[in-house]
Amino acid sequence: MNDSENICLSCGLCCDGTLIGFVQLDREELPELRKLMDIEEVNDKGFFLHPCSSYCDGCTIYSKRPKQCASFECGLLKSLEKKELAFDTAIEVINVVKQKKIVIEKKVARLPFKLQSQSFYFRIVELKKWLRKNQFESTENHKELISDLQQLDSLLLKRFGVSLN
């Protein structure tokens, strides 16, 4: 297994709903994927929301994963493939993102309301919308959360080429 496959299988930030909120499926993929996972269908098109039900500390359908999953290359993977980033550094970046995500999730759990989405990506979009709407009611805890969100967003944009906006 090469470093790029190894990094993807050990990372999972696209599968767990950190980097991406959903995966669009091609019509021809639907019959096979229906056998492997729960998918939503609208007008003969399919999709599934993250976190992916086939991801549990690694992709359980990696060899049969959807085309969009197979073709997705985050900025971290591209940097690794171009040898701009060492494998150990890439793992360190992934771990920093995972730790920052845990910190944010703990703070979100203490909010006086419940976010609706199961996906971290969409929960953060929902949270940012709430924070913008209620910016004058911000407490010190909200300011810390906003700072954490900004740090995570900056890291994701710089290293992965995605933003939680």
Side-chain angles (χ1 to χ4, degrees), residues 74-76 155-163:
C74 71
L76 191 75
L155 180 60
L156 292 179
L157 189 57
K158 178 181 177 184
R159 292 298 195 170
F160 294 85
V162 298
S163 178

Side-chain angles (χ1 to χ4, degrees), residues 4-162:
S4 62
E5 285 180 354
N6 192 7
I7 199 82
C8 290
L9 290 173
S10 63
C11 175
L13 292 173
C14 56
C15 304
D16 74 1
T18 302
L19 302 179
I20 302 171
F22 71 97
V23 171
Q24 186 96 24
L25 304 170
D26 290 343
R27 185 175 296 139
E28 64 271 4
E29 298 181 278
L30 295 178
E32 188 64 32
L33 288 172
R34 275 190 209 106
K35 298 174 191 173
L36 301 172
M37 60 193 311
D38 293 328
I39 58 174
E40 303 291 326
E41 293 182 60
V42 178
N43 299 328
D44 292 328
K45 294 184 180 182
F47 68 93
F48 62 90
L49 298 173
H50 279 128
C52 177
S53 61
S54 294
Y55 182 80
C56 182
D57 294 326
C59 181
T60 60
I61 62 166
Y62 193 75
S63 64
K64 297 177 182 177
R65 68 195 184 278
K67 290 178 186 176
Q68 185 177 348
C69 297
S71 67
F72 179 73
E73 290 188 353
C74 71
L76 191 75
L77 176 62
K78 290 176 185 176
S79 293
L80 185 64
E81 288 176 339
K82 292 178 184 176
K83 309 248 187 272
E84 298 169 345
L85 194 65
F87 183 82
D88 291 343
T89 304
I91 293 294
E92 188 177 312
V93 168
I94 292 164
N95 289 334
V96 168
V97 169
K98 288 180 177 182
Q99 289 305 308
K100 182 60 76 175
K101 181 180 170 187
I102 289 168
V103 167
I104 290 170
E105 286 178 324
K106 286 179 181 177
K107 290 179 181 178
V108 166
R110 293 191 304 259
L111 291 172
F113 58 90
K114 184 167 172 39
L115 299 172
Q116 300 303 308
S117 181
Q118 296 299 310
S119 167
F120 180 79
Y121 181 92
F122 286 124
R123 279 197 313 271
I124 297 308
V125 169
E126 187 181 347
L127 176 60
K128 285 182 171 185
K129 183 178 178 181
W130 183 87
L131 288 168
R132 279 191 299 272
K133 183 179 176 187
N134 297 287
Q135 66 185 6
F136 300 111
E137 299 172 24
S138 289
T139 65
E140 204 55 42
N141 289 337
H142 291 148
K143 290 177 184 172
E144 285 180 27
L145 179 56
I146 290 167
S147 176
D148 288 334
L149 289 169
Q150 289 169 339
Q151 291 170 23
L152 178 61
D153 208 33
S154 177
L155 180 60
L156 292 179
L157 189 57
K158 178 181 177 184
R159 292 298 195 170
F160 294 85
V162 298

